Amino acid sequence: MAGKPLLHYFNGRGRMECIRWLLAAAGVEFDEKFIETPEDLDKLRNDGSLMFQQVPMVEIDGMKLVQTRAILNYIASKYNLYGKDIKERALIDMYAEGVFDLGEMIMLLPLCPPGEKDAKIMEVKEKIKNRYLPAFEKVLKSHGQDYLVGNRLSRADVHLVELLYYVEEVDPSLLASFPLLKALKSRVSSLPTVKKFLQPGSQRKPPLDEKSLEKAMKIFRIK
């Protein structure tokens, strides 16, 4: 039997957290090998483990996979979270890309210079409220089903619910006008595998604080 997937990244959310969420939702146990220093990263680069010299990297089924989307596609395909046909996969990809666009904006907020941060938060909140959440609410309303695509759980639901938790961290009131999204968040959060992942002590990572940000910047040699 193949061993557990092994995730190589620093001990924080970053671009690995959506992979952790998807594995957890699929009920897959995984191990993590944290990159603690720039030298740890250099070692992975020098031993040829990182095709494009960057992480995340996941060892799974005898492969060393890099590139977040490629890793997510493989996990979703393997664990039946990627729709039943090519049309459903196209919708799942489209919704996931929207989630990633907004997720990227939220993820980069801690890197914002202090003088620009308030304005940036206002801009992100405006996009959450007027562009992204209405679009996903409309999808759920259009078909009246429990999940975004094909009336069953897919990676699109998992990515969206992860994002909704981050939206609430930005401002808990932002979800108030979106009853179908709130219901989706409750529904997915109640699934046994996800519920377990949401418990304290799981491999889910907390928001990035100043100390973790400093450490990550040191590891990746970001000035």
Side-chain angles (χ1 to χ4, degrees), residues 157-174:
D157 303 294
V158 177
H159 299 327
L160 179 54
V161 168
E162 179 193 356
L163 178 73
L164 295 178
Y165 277 94
Y166 302 153
V167 165
E168 287 187 322
E169 289 173 2
V170 173
D171 181 344
S173 71
L174 287 168

Side-chain angles (χ1 to χ4, degrees), residues 9-14 17 20-21 32 34 107 110 162 165-166 169 197-213:
Y9 204 61
F10 77 99
N11 188 7
R13 287 179 181 173
E17 191 70 355
R20 297 182 185 109
W21 264 83
E32 301 191 80
F34 295 125
M107 184 169 69
E162 179 193 356
Y165 277 94
Y166 302 153
E169 289 173 2
F197 187 62
L198 292 171
Q199 297 303 311
S202 81
Q203 288 159 297
R204 182 176 171 230
K205 304 298 179 251
L208 203 61
D209 60 21
E210 216 161 292
K211 201 176 164 190
S212 311
L213 179 61

Side-chain angles (χ1 to χ4, degrees), residues 108-121 213:
L108 294 176
L109 283 176
L111 297 174
C112 214
E116 299 166 25
K117 198 163 188 176
D118 287 348
K120 193 69 190 169
I121 288 170
L213 179 61

Side-chain angles (χ1 to χ4, degrees), residues 180-193:
L180 298 178
L181 288 178
K182 285 202 292 187
L184 178 73
K185 179 172 172 276
S186 297
R187 188 176 301 119
V188 173
S189 300
S190 300
L191 297 170
T193 53

Side-chain angles (χ1 to χ4, degrees), residues 106-181:
I106 293 173
M107 184 169 69
L108 294 176
L109 283 176
L111 297 174
C112 214
E116 299 166 25
K117 198 163 188 176
D118 287 348
K120 193 69 190 169
I121 288 170
M122 290 301 290
E123 183 192 326
V124 170
K125 280 165 75 165
E126 193 275 328
K127 284 181 175 163
I128 289 170
K129 213 163 44 178
N130 299 319
R131 182 186 297 185
Y132 288 96
L133 296 195
F136 289 118
E137 183 83 2
K138 190 177 174 185
V139 171
L140 291 167
K141 196 173 184 181
S142 71
H143 55 49
Q145 294 172 342
D146 283 350
Y147 296 105
L148 286 166
V149 179
N151 203 23
R152 65 174 183 173
L153 184 73
S154 75
R155 57 175 282 221
D157 303 294
V158 177
H159 299 327
L160 179 54
V161 168
E162 179 193 356
L163 178 73
L164 295 178
Y165 277 94
Y166 302 153
V167 165
E168 287 187 322
E169 289 173 2
V170 173
D171 181 344
S173 71
L174 287 168
L175 265 182
S177 314
F178 304 99
L180 298 178
L181 288 178

